[in-house]
Amino acid sequence: MQGFVNRDALAKTISSRKATFFSRSRSSLWTKGETSMNFINVHDIFLDCDRDSIIYLGKPDGPTCHTGSETCYYTSVFHHLRDPPIREQQQALTSLYSLESTISERKAEMEAAQNQKPSWTKKLLADPVLLCSKIREEANELAQTLLENEDKSRTASEMADLLYHAMVLLIIKAVKMEEVFEVLRKRFSHSGIDEKNSRRPSSQS
């Protein structure tokens, strides 16, 4: 990733060994991972020959990019130019990871400030019964778009609602979207029926 630093940010990085930057928009320091807990543990710091660029060398506790990617530099210009389907896949993943990050931020805000008026996301995070009822409601509404032969835009809208509420549940359960994708990737080479049967407890005689 890339960020801006000033003298204070560099000093804090050296003392805390956590990658710290300077926000020009907020005019304040910020430590990578202070809301997501995906800190970058700095082992060494390098200066370039002109002394106007710094590299933090460290081990991240989780994805470096707020989208959930290991690096912020995951977009190839050449892929964008020659392969639109790849661009669309990347945009889809980025949207999911960005939503995951936003929900995580709302959870951190809710824990930090109890007296503020809660957003809908914060209400769901605070009320598991409400959240579960919404997931059931949205899943049923999605199914109804098929049974009632509703148009594609309605189906997309209901799927978006279901995804959002399901991702709030994942945040509560501390399950990352990447963990869900990993489960899906492992299933690609297996029969769906066989995989489902493998999850059933075996009968004992």
Side-chain angles (χ1 to χ4, degrees):
M1 62 167 290
Q2 182 184 39
F4 293 92
V5 299
N6 59 7
R7 184 183 297 271
D8 292 337
L10 180 57
K12 185 173 181 181
T13 298
I14 293 172
S15 63
S16 68
R17 292 302 182 99
K18 303 289 186 185
T20 301
F21 304 90
F22 176 73
S23 170
R24 297 186 299 172
S25 60
R26 299 193 303 269
S27 295
S28 62
L29 303 186
W30 66 279
T31 299
K32 168 64 181 171
E34 58 192 9
T35 57
S36 68
M37 304 307 293
N38 293 329
F39 294 100
I40 297 178
N41 304 291
V42 176
H43 300 306
D44 208 341
I45 300 173
F46 292 88
L47 306 175
D48 79 329
C49 58
D50 295 322
R51 299 296 192 268
D52 59 6
S53 179
I54 299 171
I55 290 180
Y56 293 157
L57 179 64
K59 180 177 177 59
D61 287 332
T64 299
C65 183
H66 75 282
T67 64
S69 178
E70 292 182 358
T71 170
C72 293
Y73 294 90
Y74 60 84
T75 303
S76 165
V77 172
F78 296 108
H79 284 167
H80 270 256
L81 293 175
R82 85 171 166 263
D83 202 336
I86 290 180
R87 180 171 69 249
E88 292 173 359
Q89 292 168 14
Q90 290 173 335
Q91 289 173 339
L93 285 177
T94 298
S95 297
L96 285 174
Y97 286 136
S98 295
L99 177 57
E100 179 180 58
S101 178
T102 298
I103 296 172
S104 295
E105 289 174 6
R106 297 295 175 269
K107 184 172 185 290
E109 292 169 1
M110 183 180 68
E111 294 169 351
Q114 298 292 335
N115 297 326
Q116 295 180 359
K117 183 178 180 180
S119 65
W120 177 242
T121 299
K122 292 177 183 177
K123 286 183 179 179
L124 293 172
L125 288 166
D127 190 341
V129 174
L130 172 63
L131 173 60
C132 289
S133 70
K134 288 300 296 182
I135 291 174
R136 296 187 187 98
E137 176 186 328
E138 300 301 345
N140 181 64
E141 290 180 357
L142 174 64
Q144 286 300 113
T145 67
L146 175 62
L147 297 177
E148 298 179 8
N149 195 29
E150 299 185 54
D151 59 41
K152 291 172 57 177
S153 62
R154 178 69 174 173
T155 301
S157 177
E158 295 301 340
M159 185 60 190
D161 288 341
L162 178 58
L163 267 176
Y164 159 70
H165 287 88
M167 288 180 70
V168 175
L169 185 148
L170 292 182
I171 292 298
I172 293 176
K173 296 293 292 182
V175 176
K176 295 280 190 179
M177 281 302 301
E178 183 54 38
E179 296 177 65
V180 178
F181 294 144
E182 182 61 25
V183 172
L184 289 173
R185 284 192 287 267
K186 288 179 180 178
R187 293 179 182 178
F188 287 162
S189 59
H190 302 286
S191 161
I193 295 176
D194 291 342
E195 192 281 328
K196 192 169 184 179
N197 288 335
S198 70
R199 286 184 276 164
R200 295 174 180 170
S202 57
S203 58
Q204 297 180 354
S205 57

